[in-house]
Amino acid sequence: MEITGKTKIMFVLADPIDHVRASAVMNAYFASIGDDLAVSPIHVLPGDLGQAVASIRLMRNVFGFGVTIPHKTCVIEHLDEITPTAQLIGAVNFVKRTAEGRLVGDNLDARGFTASLAQHEVAVRGRKVLQVGAGGAGRATAFGLAEAGAGELTIMNRDDGKAHALAAAVAAHYPATKVSAGRAEARSFDLIVNTTSLGMKPDDPLPVDIEGVGAGATVSDIIVNPAVTRLLARAAAQGARVIGGRPMLDAQMALVARFIAR
Ligand code: ATR
C-alpha cells in the first residue's frame, strides 16, 4: 500500500495495543473496495485520551478513528456529538471527523452483530435468545438483539446486578421483547450468545454450560481471537450451528465506510 498526501487516514485507539485486529481488517476492506484509506493502531493511555482526541481534531486528512478497550465509554466526553444508538449503548466504537473538524461518535457493534447473524441466515425475530455477559460489548449486542426483534432475551452475567440493569434498559426501549436477567438453562434457547471475555485464553472455563444444546440451536461467540473458542468447538461437536466474532467485525466495515464518508 502506498500512503500519500491524498490518502485518507484513520486510527484505532487502544491500550494495550498488541491485541488490536480492527486496523488490519479495515485496511484489507478499504483496499478491497479500492478506497485510498490507511488505518494505523495508536497506543493511547487512558490519561492521555483527551489530548490525543484534541490532536486528531486538528489533523485535516484524518477521516475518523476506531476506539477500543479501554476507551469506548471515556471517549464520549471528548466528542462533539454522539448518535442516539451510541447514547443508548453508552459506548462509542467509531468516531468520524467531519471536514469542519467536528467529532461524531457512533456504536456500530450492535448493527455489525445483527448484520453478521443475518448474513449467516441466523434468525433472531421471534426467537428465544440467551446472552451471557453484560459488559460493554454485551450492552451493544443486547440492544441489537432487541432491535432485530428477539422474542425473548435472557441476560446472564457473573455480576447479576449488571445483568438486571441491562435487562431493564433494553426492556424500556423494546417493549415487544420479553427481557429478563438471571440464570437459565442454555438448552431451552434457540440462540446462545457469549459476550464475556471467557474463551480468549485457552484455559478459560466455558462461559455457559451448553449441555443439551444441539441441532436446531445456534451458538455465537463474539470473541475474534481465537476464531474458534472452546465454546464454539463444543457447540459444533454437539451439532449446533456456530458463528464466531470475526463476521461481526467484517459486517461493520461497510457501516464504517458509510459513516465516515464526507
Ligand atoms: P467488554 O467491553 O469486552 O464487554 P467488559 O465491559 O469488561 O468488556 O465486560 C466483560 C464481560 O465479561 C462482563 O460481562 C464480565 O462479567 P462481570 O460483569 O461479572 O465482570 C465478563 N467476565 C469477565 N471475566 C469473567 C469471568 N472470569 N467469569 C465470568 N464472567 C467474566
Side-chain angles (χ1 to χ4, degrees), residues 7 62 68 83 93 98 104 123 135 162 170 183 186 190 224 230 232 238 246:
T7 306
V62 172
T68 184
T83 62
N93 76 332
T98 68
V104 183
K162 267 161 79 177
V170 175
R183 314 253 127 227
D190 305 308
V224 176
R230 273 184 61 216
L232 292 187
Q238 290 175 196
R246 179 61 194 262

Side-chain angles (χ1 to χ4, degrees), residues 69 133-138 157-159 162 195-198:
I69 291 168
N157 192 47
R158 175 178 62 181
D159 176 342
K162 267 161 79 177
T195 72
T196 75
S197 45
L198 291 177

